Amino acid sequence: MISPTAQNLDDDAALRRSTVLERVSEGVVALDTDLRYTYVNERAEQILDAPRSQLMGQYIWDAFPESQGTVAQDAIDEAMATQTQQSFERYDSALERWFEVRVYPDESGLSLYFTDITDRKASEQELAQKNRQLSALVANTAQAVYLKDRAGRYQFMNEAAASLFGLAPEDAVGKRAEDLFDSESAAQIRRIDEQVLADETADSYEATRFIDGNEHVFLDNKYPYRDEDGTVVGIMGISREITERKRRQNTLEKSRQRLKSLFDDLPDSVVIHDAEGNILDVNRQTVEDLGYTRRELLSMNVSDFEVGLAKAELRTTWRTMEVGDRAKKRGRHRRKDGSTFPIKVWVDKTEIAGETHFIALSRDVTEPLRKEQQLEALTEEYRALLENADDAIFFVDVEPTDSGPEFRFERLNPYHEAATGLDSDSVQGKTPREVLGPDLGAELEANYRRCVEARAPISYQEELEMPAGTRTWQTKLAPVTVDGAVTRIVGIARDVTTQVRREAELRRKNERLDEFAGIVAHDLRNPLNIAQMRTTLSVEDPSYESLHREKVLEALDRMEAIITDTLVLARRGNEVESLEPISVTDLTAQCWDMVEADAASLVVEDDCTIEGDPDRLRHVFENLFRNAVEHSEGDVTVRVGRAGESVLYVEDDGPGIPPADREAVFKPGETSQEGGTGFGLSIVKRIAEAHGWTVRLTEASSGGARFEFSGVEVLSS
């Protein structure tokens, strides 16, 4: 049986509408006031997986006892108790489809409509997935997100939330609800917050708030926010403004409550027409969609408002269909005001009272198309971001296993491929260990695991040896969460190699500057004091003026030597300008001529050609020769030779240097010679290191000092 309203119609109309209910794509069920089945259409019979003959007259909870205590019983009980429309969603595992069930009460009982929303569900899930990925790369969201402490002070508010109050996110920190909302709204917010903190459970509710005198409707979700120890320290909230949606829902709800029959309660436009397209009947939705009155529509032809399909195409479709066939089309309807909108239409050919009729159910798909376009736009934005970003972006899939999460590379952006020498095709589906080896792979996996455990973005600096070379990266990892589980990690890495090297070089320069400043300040003080004192004495005691003048000149010479050596060490000790082949025999001969060594002798044991900067190396050999002569009082033999493939030595037969003092002699300012600057051997060490050599001080076979240089590039011998 059908509702009393349908029974009061004339037989033809009742027959037509009954036929419609059998042909609609929705499941339709009617229950009396005792919740016993009075009508079940064919589609509902499929969805419920029960023959209507068995259901008719049966109490609903006897027929489906497993649904008691579920959202279905709650919605039906609420509809009967309040006489207001209710709805819920239901998944049919047998059909593998999702249905939205809407419950409408009237004086005869309840009407239930099962609408297939599988496509919408799939579209929503796909869009949600894309949004989650984009949200991991972007630092904000369209929804208002905030964090409060237990005292109700906002600790964080994203841009979407702060913009509701005309604030920047940082300006909202420290404010309370009383600073942002009217007093009534603030008091309600405070009560809900206190309840969430007391129960330590999440709360979701719909709330009306007034901001600057304007009414806003929000869908609020609040969760207890815990610290690392699990202690609730505040509240995290996500608010979605549904003001416009709520207004539309209220308008639609009021409209639906005025409908008295199953036919007019159908949410889709229904048009019944003959084989020529002349309209025989329409439902209320058709009237609302097109803007015509029902009387106007009954005098029209389908082709009067169907502008997406040509009249010839419509007629061909109707003519080629058999009774019982269904055709699915995409079209476009024109309203009375001239505006148009896209539709999906399902046309059924049937017989009513022996006459051929067509039932056309059409649906406005403006919003699904908008979502589809939005999804395409998001996809394009997502692709453009990956393809054009100047940072290395990578995606890592997180797969749960018994031993913990397993990580596999999913994709690299072009910059990542160019900077590291890796490519998406070769790394896709592989673990970090498989791509980069056990050591480096384990290091990367440890960072990924830390991100999963934190369930929040993490940042760190790392030095990685990739096929394209060793680089230093500033890396940020962000987890992507689906249904409460981290399923993917999005990583963004910025190459900071040049910056790190520049900072290290600046630190070294600053350290040298401090070092030289200390040396100059310390070592110049004594000769400066001597010069000042002797100048004063020469004035007070003219008889010793010549002696004082001699001492002043010695002090000035000493100061000049300190300054000269310091400048060599500071400006040129750590650099080489040009490398060229150098004859060791020629170079050492030139340097020996610069040393006052009347009683000393130079012996070149091995003549060879090395690669180096001749200007810098002159400082090396001159300092070594001068050091040997000065420490031996002039009577010394200095030998230069090779001690292996890449080792060059300079040794003397002087008194040598005790082992305990050998490390200290390379420090600036260290000297055991009276009148020495203490910079000579420091200059030797710095210039050697600038060539990539290492220098070691040891003892010669004669007992003297032996300096060995390793890493020398010997070109010929």
Side-chain angles (χ1 to χ4, degrees):
M1 78 182 270
I2 60 176
S3 70
T5 302
Q7 288 181 335
N8 292 334
L9 299 172
D10 59 82
D11 292 341
D12 287 344
L15 182 58
R16 284 199 304 270
R17 296 189 175 190
S18 176
T19 303
V20 167
L21 296 175
E22 288 299 313
R23 303 297 295 175
V24 296
S25 60
E26 290 191 335
V28 183
V29 168
L31 303 173
D32 62 17
T33 55
D34 294 328
L35 299 184
R36 297 182 181 277
Y37 286 96
T38 61
Y39 177 77
V40 179
N41 75 346
E42 181 179 350
R43 182 57 173 156
E45 189 177 25
Q46 296 172 355
I47 295 170
L48 297 174
D49 193 24
R52 71 176 91 185
S53 59
Q54 176 181 325
L55 294 175
M56 296 299 289
Q58 191 174 11
Y59 180 51
I60 186 172
W61 306 126
D62 290 340
F64 299 101
E66 69 278 4
S67 295
Q68 286 186 287
T70 67
V71 67
Q73 184 178 17
D74 293 341
I76 289 173
D77 289 347
E78 183 70 13
M80 287 295 293
T82 64
Q83 287 297 295
T84 59
Q85 178 201 337
Q86 305 294 322
S87 66
F88 60 92
E89 293 181 357
R90 174 179 183 269
Y91 179 72
D92 191 314
S93 57
L95 298 176
E96 296 184 345
R97 309 292 291 178
W98 277 94
F99 294 92
E100 180 185 32
V101 183
R102 301 185 306 284
V103 184
Y104 298 93
D106 58 27
E107 65 276 6
S108 63
L110 298 177
S111 301
L112 280 68
Y113 298 87
F114 296 76
T115 302
D116 189 334
I117 60 171
T118 305
D119 292 341
R120 191 189 80 192
K121 277 282 190 180
S123 177
E124 289 174 351
Q125 291 173 357
E126 185 177 4
L127 180 60
Q129 172 68 8
K130 291 296 182 181
N131 276 330
R132 281 192 293 269
Q133 290 184 350
L134 190 58
S135 295
L137 299 173
V138 184
N140 56 23
T141 176
Q143 297 187 17
V145 181
Y146 57 87
L147 184 67
K148 300 180 184 180
D149 61 18
R150 294 187 70 94
R153 292 183 293 264
Y154 287 96
Q155 302 299 301
F156 167 80
M157 189 180 288
N158 72 344
E159 187 171 352
S163 64
L164 290 171
F165 310 101
L167 298 173
E170 59 270 17
D171 294 334
V173 174
K175 293 187 180 296
R176 301 172 183 265
E178 291 80 357
D179 301 322
L180 304 174
F181 297 92
D182 66 287
S183 58
E184 183 178 348
S185 297
Q188 185 183 28
I189 290 171
R190 174 70 69 180
R191 287 195 299 271
I192 295 171
D193 288 354
E194 290 174 352
Q195 192 64 45
V196 171
L197 292 172
D199 296 342
E200 296 189 0
T201 57
D203 191 13
S204 298
Y205 60 97
E206 186 178 293
T208 300
R209 304 279 184 250
F210 287 88
I211 302 175
D212 294 334
N214 297 317
E215 183 181 82
H216 296 262
V217 182
F218 297 97
L219 184 60
D220 280 354
N221 295 275
K222 293 189 176 182
Y223 311 88
Y225 181 69
R226 302 175 185 272
D227 61 13
E228 295 179 353
D229 298 327
T231 303
V232 176
V233 295
I235 290 176
M236 180 177 67
I238 303 175
S239 293
R240 180 158 55 97
E241 184 167 9
I242 58 172
T243 306
E244 290 302 319
R245 192 189 79 179
K246 193 64 178 177
R247 289 172 183 165
R248 292 196 300 269
Q249 286 178 341
N250 291 339
T251 301
L252 181 61
E253 181 66 16
K254 292 176 182 178
S255 175
R256 286 176 173 173
Q257 288 178 357
R258 291 193 298 267
L259 301 177
K260 299 298 183 182
S261 69
L262 296 174
F263 181 76
D264 273 344
D265 273 338
L266 288 172
D268 295 326
S269 169
V270 181
V271 176
I272 303 175
H273 62 86
D274 62 18
E276 299 300 320
N278 298 313
I279 297 175
L280 304 175
D281 202 356
V282 297
N283 71 340
R284 183 69 58 83
Q285 193 64 45
T286 305
V287 173
E288 293 180 0
D289 285 350
L290 298 177
Y292 294 97
T293 66
R294 185 173 184 276
R295 177 173 295 183
E296 287 174 327
L297 287 168
L298 293 179
S299 65
M300 296 170 63
N301 189 282
V302 171
S303 60
D304 292 336
F305 56 79
E306 174 52 64
V307 295
L309 297 170
K311 190 173 183 178
E313 184 179 353
L314 290 172
R315 291 182 180 276
T316 299
T317 300
W318 300 334
R319 186 175 62 253
T320 56
M321 290 178 66
E322 299 292 338
V323 173
D325 286 350
R326 167 172 285 193
K328 182 179 179 181
K329 298 281 187 179
R330 284 185 177 269
R332 196 167 193 87
H333 281 175
R334 180 171 56 205
R335 301 184 181 92
K336 186 177 181 179
D337 64 8
S339 61
T340 63
F341 59 95
I343 56 103
K344 278 185 181 179
V345 60
W346 294 264
V347 181
D348 288 84
K349 187 173 184 178
T350 187
E351 284 189 358
I352 300 177
E355 295 184 4
T356 300
H357 289 75
F358 293 86
I359 303 173
L361 286 87
S362 60
R363 181 173 299 166
D364 183 348
V365 293
T366 302
E367 185 63 17
L369 283 178
R370 187 192 67 78
K371 289 184 177 180
E372 183 177 337
Q373 292 167 355
Q374 183 183 31
L375 179 60
E376 291 176 356
L378 284 172
T379 302
E380 283 303 308
E381 292 174 2
Y382 168 75
R383 184 194 62 77
L385 176 64
L386 291 182
E387 296 296 326
N388 299 294
D390 288 335
D391 292 326
I393 302 176
F394 56 95
F395 298 86
V396 179
D397 287 332
V398 182
E399 302 175 2
T401 67
D402 293 340
S403 59
E406 184 174 79
F407 306 99
R408 295 186 179 275
F409 289 111
E410 194 273 331
R411 186 181 177 187
L412 313 175
N413 77 329
Y415 182 89
H416 193 296
E417 294 178 335
T420 63
L422 303 174
D423 64 86
S424 291
D425 292 338
S426 64
V427 306
Q428 189 174 44
K430 295 182 179 179
T431 67
R433 296 173 192 255
E434 293 171 338
V435 174
L436 300 170
D439 296 334
L440 182 55
E443 181 180 338
L444 294 182
E445 288 176 357
N447 289 326
Y448 300 161
R449 189 172 295 105
R450 188 158 56 92
C451 177
V452 171
E453 292 172 352
R455 302 176 67 82
I458 63 171
S459 299
Y460 55 90
Q461 185 169 295
E462 58 185 346
E463 184 175 88
L464 300 178
E465 184 176 350
M466 295 290 187
T470 300
R471 313 289 292 177
T472 302
W473 301 93
Q474 186 69 43
T475 302
K476 183 173 184 178
L477 303 179
V480 178
T481 304
V482 178
D483 296 332
V486 176
T487 61
R488 177 172 289 187
I489 291 174
V490 179
I492 303 177
R494 176 160 295 174
D495 187 348
V496 294
T497 306
T498 302
Q499 176 185 339
V500 170
R501 290 173 180 172
R502 188 182 298 114
E503 291 174 353
E505 179 62 24
L506 182 60
R507 283 195 300 271
R508 286 194 297 271
K509 288 182 178 179
N510 287 338
E511 289 169 359
R512 286 203 305 273
L513 185 60
D514 290 342
E515 176 186 63
F516 297 142
I519 291 170
V520 171
H522 178 271
D523 289 2
L524 286 180
R525 186 175 292 112
N526 286 339
L528 180 61
N529 290 339
I530 292 173
Q532 290 173 334
M533 180 186 69
R534 289 291 183 172
T535 301
T536 301
L537 291 175
S538 67
V539 175
E540 295 176 352
D541 189 0
S543 60
Y544 288 95
E545 181 179 359
S546 176
L547 175 62
H548 295 321
R549 184 183 301 112
E550 180 181 350
K551 295 300 182 181
V552 169
L553 291 175
E554 290 177 359
L556 293 176
D557 289 341
R558 169 68 175 160
M559 292 169 64
E560 182 181 14
I562 291 173
I563 292 172
T564 300
D565 285 349
T566 303
L567 289 176
V568 170
L569 188 61
R571 292 177 178 174
R572 312 185 74 181
N574 284 74
E575 61 182 43
V576 293
E577 294 181 355
S578 61
L579 299 177
E580 58 184 69
I582 303 171
S583 168
V584 172
T585 300
D586 294 343
L587 179 64
T588 54
Q590 295 170 12
C591 296
W592 187 258
D593 289 341
M594 300 302 295
V595 179
E596 296 182 7
D598 294 337
S601 59
L602 171 68
V603 178
V604 179
E605 301 281 2
D606 301 290
D607 185 20
C608 60
T609 300
I610 63 174
E611 185 178 67
D613 185 329
D615 289 338
R616 303 290 81 77
L617 291 180
R618 286 190 184 94
H619 287 291
V620 171
F621 287 105
E622 286 178 9
N623 275 288
L624 290 178
F625 294 164
R626 187 178 296 110
N627 188 71
V629 171
E630 290 175 351
H631 283 77
S632 303
E633 297 181 357
D635 186 12
V636 66
T637 298
V638 179
R639 300 180 184 276
V640 179
R642 292 178 60 190
E645 288 294 327
S646 59
V647 179
L648 198 67
Y649 70 84
V650 177
E651 67 176 22
D652 61 63
D653 55 5
I657 299 174
D661 298 334
R662 288 172 186 170
E663 285 296 326
V665 298
F666 290 109
K667 295 180 180 179
E670 292 288 337
T671 181
S672 60
Q673 180 73 17
E674 182 179 355
T677 66
F679 290 105
L681 295 183
S682 179
I683 292 173
V684 169
K685 185 173 186 295
R686 293 282 176 86
I687 294 176
E689 290 175 346
H691 280 75
W693 304 352
T694 57
V695 59
R696 183 172 72 99
L697 172 57
T698 182
E699 184 176 335
S701 58
S702 61
R706 178 183 173 98
F707 295 86
E708 292 185 352
F709 299 92
S710 302
V712 180
E713 182 70 24
V714 179
L715 302 179
S716 63
S717 57

